[in-house]
Amino acid sequence: MPQIEWEVSFSIGDETIDKQHQKWIALYNKVDKMLLESNPTEFAEMKVEALEEMKQYALYHFSYEENFMKKINYPDLPRHWRLHKDFDYKVFELIRQIESGGILLHSELLTVMRDWLIEHILKEDMKIRQFQ
Ligand SMILES: [Fe+2]
Ligand SMILES: [Fe+2]
């Protein structure tokens, strides 16, 4: 998987949220590199660890972003909140899948993360821009 590079076009117009998105992208890149370099025995364990880290960061970031949306009276907050919850659930399901012995390929895991992250920032978080 190619690494993701932060671009100015990713900016949603708030410095703190942009920084958190950059941090999240850095986390994705770290996980991508880590999984590529791991051997098969370390693999499952590392995937769970990586997902746990993503989940923790998502919790922190989502809560900040939702509070920010409340502050600016963002009208579509309930739907956005649900999208965040969907992500939490998706990660929870992936962890369960790995822990119950299911096969989850490196590429599959990274594709889920990458698609969600980029899609969500560019399509959903970006909508906040006009309300600031
Ligand atoms: Fe969001
Ligand atoms: Fe976000």
Side-chain angles (χ1 to χ4, degrees):
M1 285 278 151
Q3 300 263 299
I4 307 175
E5 294 258 3
W6 169 262
E7 289 168 32
V8 183
S9 62
F10 288 12
S11 173
I12 64 119
D14 176 76
E15 208 185 324
T16 307
I17 291 181
D18 283 348
K19 281 210 177 104
Q20 291 181 1
H21 287 157
Q22 284 168 15
K23 166 91 196 319
W24 208 357
I25 288 174
L27 182 61
Y28 167 91
N29 287 334
K30 189 188 90 175
V31 168
D32 177 58
K33 200 164 171 284
M34 188 177 87
L35 290 182
L36 262 184
E37 290 165 359
S38 66
N39 68 47
T41 12
E42 298 167 327
F43 211 50
E45 206 178 301
M46 286 180 91
K47 272 188 286 199
V48 171
E49 241 171 70
L51 282 166
E52 288 288 354
E53 206 177 342
M54 292 256 193
K55 196 170 85 175
Q56 286 313 313
Y57 196 72
L59 279 179
Y60 166 75
H61 169 63
F62 290 165
S63 123
Y64 182 90
E65 205 176 79
E66 287 155 12
N67 280 326
F68 181 84
M69 287 175 176
K70 260 184 230 156
K71 252 193 329 211
I72 59 166
N73 290 317
Y74 180 62
D76 210 15
L77 177 55
R79 200 183 64 91
H80 201 104
W81 182 82
R82 269 202 311 277
L83 293 172
H84 286 169
K85 288 284 160 223
D86 287 347
F87 178 81
D88 292 343
Y89 185 72
K90 195 187 285 247
V91 174
F92 170 81
E93 275 297 304
L94 289 171
I95 293 173
R96 219 181 54 167
Q97 195 181 327
I98 299 169
E99 285 181 339
S100 62
I103 293 166
L104 180 67
L105 298 173
H106 171 197
S107 56
E108 208 180 325
L109 168 64
L110 270 298
T111 303
V112 170
M113 291 297 158
R114 185 188 180 90
D115 288 355
W116 197 89
L117 187 59
I118 298 298
E119 273 265 318
H120 187 79
I121 293 175
L122 294 184
K123 285 197 181 150
E124 298 300 331
D125 292 346
M126 198 54 83
K127 291 179 188 164
I128 314 170
R129 225 193 144 91
Q130 55 181 305
F131 293 94
Q132 293 172 63

